């Protein structure tokens, strides 16, 4: 296990440098005028140009620019946005509600995927199974940019079941509709993967053994089959975190939640380069760490990986 | 070590004086999209305590399906038991409710599978998988179940059982894994053990060790053993009686020495002739011509007639040959068994 963790950490460091370099390069390298790129279409005043040049060391070589960018990032200094606010403070204000929203979406999606997926796999070919198939296809076909405003309009305004917007300190209930919308971005694939995986494991020899041991069907499925079936699902959840991040951008925008996503969307809309770079760099780190956690979970589930 | 109370609680109506296991006229079919495959077509046999019955046959002849039907772990659908009875100590298991049937499994009738690597759950330690039996069936505490699991691993002679209890199946060698399977099957002290090709996946020296271990444990516990195999070499050493199966029927049943000395069914005879023999070194091996029939289209009359050298007109017509009494405790489903015996 120890060797697995060490190897996985080393891999993460490599990925970290690779990913941040891409973010950095997209913003600063290969640009005729990096300052103009950071400020978008707006005219750049001489003082802003000077400040940005100094902040990102644009008068030095590319490698030293990257060095300064990295050392700032790692020491937590994200600099100021073009509008003059501390990016670190902006992030601090916005992350709690986003984390709550994403966690809720993740739990909702995983719970639905597990429950419906397992049931579908047991009842292959039944009305329920086919209904779920149709439902997941519908979800896959509906992009979140359509689903979010439609859900807000129907459930938030017409029916009035949920608040149509959520504030920074929104209650669990106020975040439920946005979380449900966000969950739809990942639930369909998770459900299909669970169903396939459980169906496959139900045919495995060890299930026959478990039944020959006189275990009740409930125990066979929830103890023996499930742990084996969870392995692909957990991997998928790791990948889905990225999907949730981009989904949060739209969902938070639509439901007016002042989280990381809506701040980032705002930064993109107002062409605030420094803010986008800062936020994206942090999101990359979050994504990497979460993937590490998922991989460790993966090893906890499957001993064959642990002892490799 | 047998828990008397647990034994009596398993199933109401058990009669300790009734025969241990009796399978009568068992029919199993698989209803698939391509038609109905008749996997077992009237298998009948019995088993006494302390006795080893070998069920011998080619792949697809219905021997594993028979075993699964006895255990009650047939995949339904597509598998269906359409006729027959499986009597354990007088009680027809096919008429018993599923919850009671579950208690019979592992407690009274246990099973060992062919490939222990895939038959054990890869993500749980062998200790968990063994202890689970005591916890579920006996309500044992975690610690108690664990110490009993260690005891079991000791009994099947796994070295350093105490530490190996925390290992996962993939950390064991093939032979050791099969020992774990045996330990699991014997955990609750069953009266009947069904071993479905227990040594097929192992190499020859390990095969002998495992068969020796099985025979020893069987003797100690006076267990009835049904050994399912296609290997006539394995059978000769350990079996008391042999039932030869072909296309879902027991075509010949006899004590082991009689069958090797004088087979009464052409199929048994052909099987014996196809064993490589040292004294016939250098000669062409005899093979049975043709292939076993598809289970969706079993020939009328004797299912073996298209491949049989003795076949005459009556063999091609229904009904199939009855089980002729060849000798006391010996039957063969062949109209011309006298000819085959060479009388």
């Amino acid at each position: 296990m120890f060797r697995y963790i060490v190897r996985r950490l080393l891999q993460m460091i490599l990925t970290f440098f690779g990913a941040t370099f891409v973010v950095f390069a997209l913003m600063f390298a290969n640009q005729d005028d990096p300052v103009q790129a950071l400020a978008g279409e707006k005219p750049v005043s001489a003082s802003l140009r000077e400040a940005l040049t100094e902040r990102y060391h644009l008068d030095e070589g590319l490698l030293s620019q990257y060095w300064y960018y990295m050392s700032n990032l790692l020491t937590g200094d994200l600099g100021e946005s073009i509008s003059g606010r501390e990016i670190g403070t902006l992030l601090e204000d916005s992350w709690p509600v986003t984390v709550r929203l994403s966690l809720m979406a993740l739990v909702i999606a995983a719970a639905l995927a597990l429950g419906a997926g397992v049931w579908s796999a047991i009842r292959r070919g039944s009305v329920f199974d086919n209904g779920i198939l149709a439902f997941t296809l519908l979800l896959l076909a509906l992009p979140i940019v359509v689903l979010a405003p439609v859900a807000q309009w129907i459930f938030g305004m017409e029916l009035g079941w949920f608040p149509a917007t959520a504030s920074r300190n929104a209650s669990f209930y106020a975040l439920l509709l946005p979380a449900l919308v966000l969950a739809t971005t990942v639930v369909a694939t998770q459900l299909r993967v669970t169903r396939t995986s459980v169906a496959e494991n139900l045919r495995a020899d060890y299930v026959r053994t478990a039944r020959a041991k006189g275990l009740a069907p409930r125990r066979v499925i929830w103890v023996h089959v499930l742990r084996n079936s969870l392995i692909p699902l957990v991997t998928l959840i790791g990948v889905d975190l990225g999907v949730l991040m981009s989904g949060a951008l739209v969902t938070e925008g639509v439901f007016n939640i002042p989280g990381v996503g809506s701040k980032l969307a705002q930064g993109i809309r107002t062409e605030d380069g420094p803010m986008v770079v800062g936020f994206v760099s942090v999101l990359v780190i979050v994504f990497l760490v979460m993937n590490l956690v998922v991989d460790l979970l993966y090893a906890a589930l499957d001993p064959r990986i642990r002892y490799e | 070590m047998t828990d008397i109370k647990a034994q009596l609680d398993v199933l109401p109506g058990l009669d300790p004086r009734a025969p241990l296991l009796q399978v009568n006229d068992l029919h199993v079919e698989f209803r698939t999209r391509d038609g109905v495959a008749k996997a077992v077509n009237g298998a009948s046999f019995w088993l006494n305590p302390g006795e080893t019955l070998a069920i011998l046959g080619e792949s697809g002849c219905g021997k594993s399906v028979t075993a699964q039907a006895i255990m009650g772990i047939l995949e339904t659908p597509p598998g269906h038991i359409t006729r027959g009875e499986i009597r354990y100590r007088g009680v027809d298991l096919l008429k018993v409710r599923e919850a009671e049937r579950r208690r019979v499994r592992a407690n009274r009738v246990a099973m060992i599978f062919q490939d222990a690597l895939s038959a054990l759950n890869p993500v749980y330690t062998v200790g968990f998988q063994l202890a689970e039996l005591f916890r579920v069936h006996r309500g044992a505490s975690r610690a108690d179940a664990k110490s009993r699991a260690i005891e079991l691993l000791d009994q099947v002679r796994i070295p350093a059982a105490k530490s190996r209890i925390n290992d996962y199946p993939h950390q064991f060698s093939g032979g050791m894994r099969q020992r774990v399977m045996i330990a699991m099957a014997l955990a609750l002290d069953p009266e009947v053990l069904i071993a479905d090709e227990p040594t097929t996946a192992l190499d020859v020296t390990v095969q002998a060790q495992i068969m020796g271990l099985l025979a020893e444990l069987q003797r100690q516990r006076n267990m009835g053993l049904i050994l399912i195999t296609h290997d006539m070499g394995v059978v000769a050493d350990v079996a008391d009686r042999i039932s030869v199966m072909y296309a879902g029927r027991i075509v010949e049943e006899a004590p082991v020495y009689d069958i090797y000395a004088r087979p009464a069914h052409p199929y048994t005879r052909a099987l014996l002739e196809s064993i490589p023999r040292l004294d016939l070194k250098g000669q062409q091996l005899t093979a049975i011509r043709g292939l076993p029939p598809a289970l969706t289209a079993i020939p009328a009359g004797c299912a073996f007639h298209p491949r049989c050298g003795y076949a005459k007109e009556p063999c091609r017509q229904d009904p199939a040959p009855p089980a002729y009494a060849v000798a006391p405790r010996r039957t063969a489903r062949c109209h011309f068994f006298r000819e085959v015996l060479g009388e």
Side-chain angles (χ1 to χ4, degrees), chain B residues 7 10 88 103-110 188-192:
Chain B
Q7 236 193 59
V10 164
Y88 164 71
R103 283 203 294 272
V104 174
R105 277 176 224 153
N107 265 307
R108 310 317 314 144
V109 184
L188 303 178
D189 220 6
E191 281 190 295
V192 178

Side-chain angles (χ1 to χ4, degrees), chain A residues 124 202-217 219 222-225 227-228 231 300-308, chain B residues 68 71-75 102 105-106 109 111 113-115 118-124 128-130 132-133 136-137 166 168 170-171 181 184:
Chain A
R124 274 190 306 282
L202 276 174
R203 277 193 297 266
D205 283 355
Y206 69 81
V207 172
R208 205 180 46 189
T209 312
R211 291 170 61 215
K213 281 160 84 178
L215 304 179
R219 187 173 171 92
W222 294 103
V223 175
H224 285 268
V225 172
R227 181 138 166 212
N228 281 281
I231 296 165
L301 281 172
D302 191 348
R304 286 163 296 184
I305 295 173
R306 229 180 298 162
Y307 290 92
E308 205 181 291
Chain B
Q68 286 175 24
M71 286 302 290
I73 55 170
L74 207 62
E75 283 278 337
R102 242 181 351 248
R105 277 176 224 153
V109 184
M111 187 162 175
F113 298 95
Q114 178 179 359
D115 181 3
S118 60
L120 293 168
N121 194 330
V123 301
Y124 290 106
F128 174 90
Q129 296 183 58
L130 280 167
E132 184 180 34
L133 282 162
V136 169
H137 287 280
N166 296 319
Y168 291 89
H170 73 275
Q171 293 169 296
M181 272 258 79
M184 204 182 286

Side-chain angles (χ1 to χ4, degrees), chain A residues 5-308:
Chain A
I5 296 176
V6 169
R7 205 171 46 200
R8 196 54 198 73
L9 274 173
L10 290 175
Q11 277 173 10
M12 186 183 134
I13 292 170
L14 274 181
T15 328
F16 172 74
F17 281 107
T20 49
F21 186 77
V22 168
V23 174
F24 164 79
L26 280 174
M27 220 53 218
F28 299 107
N30 200 22
Q31 297 277 1
D32 296 334
D33 184 357
V35 175
Q36 188 63 60
L38 279 169
E41 306 274 295
K42 287 174 298 216
V44 184
S45 67
S47 62
L48 180 62
R49 176 172 291 274
E50 198 179 311
L52 284 176
T53 305
E54 195 200 318
R55 163 75 196 167
Y56 294 105
H57 303 271
L58 293 176
D59 46 354
E60 292 173 47
L62 190 68
L63 272 178
S64 77
Q65 283 177 33
Y66 180 62
W67 166 253
Y68 285 115
Y69 161 76
M70 283 307 287
S71 55
N72 281 337
L73 185 64
L74 289 175
T75 52
D77 176 12
L78 296 171
E80 282 177 2
S81 71
I82 290 198
S83 53
R85 282 182 294 174
E86 278 287 329
I87 295 172
T89 322
L90 281 175
L91 205 56
E92 228 167 87
D93 281 346
S94 53
W95 71 262
V97 71
T98 300
V99 167
R100 274 205 294 153
L101 178 69
S102 328
L103 274 183
M104 277 171 72
L106 203 63
V107 170
I108 291 171
L112 274 177
L114 264 182
V118 169
W119 193 248
S120 264
I122 298 171
R123 297 283 137 107
R124 274 190 306 282
S126 67
V127 178
F128 179 81
D129 185 27
N130 285 315
I132 284 291
L133 173 66
F135 181 65
T136 50
L137 283 177
L138 182 74
L139 282 187
L140 284 173
L142 268 178
I144 191 165
V145 285
V146 174
L147 201 61
V150 168
Q152 184 188 37
W153 176 58
I154 294 178
F155 298 107
M157 295 167 185
E158 292 296 318
L159 296 171
W161 291 355
F162 300 96
T165 58
S167 68
R168 196 163 154 262
N169 303 311
S171 65
F172 173 80
Y173 177 67
L175 282 178
L176 198 55
L177 184 61
L180 273 169
V181 167
L182 190 52
T184 59
T185 55
V186 291
V187 75
T189 36
Q190 285 183 9
L191 202 155
R192 300 310 298 173
V193 164
T194 308
R195 180 196 177 274
T196 309
S197 175
V198 171
E200 203 173 281
N201 274 292
L202 276 174
R203 277 193 297 266
D205 283 355
Y206 69 81
V207 172
R208 205 180 46 189
T209 312
R211 291 170 61 215
K213 281 160 84 178
L215 304 179
R218 208 179 312 132
R219 187 173 171 92
V220 173
I221 286 173
W222 294 103
V223 175
H224 285 268
V225 172
L226 195 65
R227 181 138 166 212
N228 281 281
S229 313
L230 275 180
I231 296 165
L233 179 66
V234 163
T235 319
L236 185 63
I237 286 177
V239 179
D240 279 345
L241 287 171
V243 180
L244 284 180
M245 282 178 191
S246 60
L249 219 85
V250 176
T251 317
E252 290 186 355
V254 169
F255 290 92
N256 207 17
I257 304 168
V260 175
S262 66
K263 285 273 158 50
L264 185 55
Q266 191 188 326
I268 295 169
R269 254 199 326 275
T270 58
E271 299 180 322
D272 192 333
M275 189 167 138
V276 174
V277 173
F279 269 51
V280 170
S281 305
V282 172
L283 285 182
V284 164
I285 296 173
V286 171
F287 187 70
L288 285 175
V289 171
M290 290 308 286
N291 262 290
L292 175 72
V293 171
V294 161
D295 274 10
L296 294 183
L297 214 66
Y298 190 46
L301 281 172
D302 191 348
R304 286 163 296 184
I305 295 173
R306 229 180 298 162
Y307 290 92
E308 205 181 291

Side-chain angles (χ1 to χ4, degrees), chain B residues 313-333:
Chain B
E313 206 37 48
C315 306
R316 295 182 189 98
Q317 282 155 17
D318 277 333
Y324 292 105
V326 175
R329 285 168 50 94
R330 192 170 176 193
T331 58
R333 287 182 181 268

Side-chain angles (χ1 to χ4, degrees), chain B residues 31-79:
Chain B
R31 294 170 195 156
T32 65
R33 244 172 255 170
D34 309 321
V36 176
K38 297 189 164 162
V40 182
N41 304 295
S44 303
F45 52 88
W46 77 93
L47 181 72
N48 295 322
E51 181 187 47
T52 301
L53 170 71
I55 298 183
L56 192 78
E58 293 165 274
S59 331
C61 72
K63 48 195 201 304
S64 292
V65 174
T66 306
Q68 286 175 24
I70 296 173
M71 286 302 290
I73 55 170
L74 207 62
E75 283 278 337
T76 311

Side-chain angles (χ1 to χ4, degrees), chain B residues 172-186:
Chain B
F172 286 81
S173 68
M176 286 298 151
R177 265 198 296 268
Q178 197 53 274
R179 282 168 196 262
V180 172
M181 272 258 79
I182 293 174
M184 204 182 286
L186 298 184

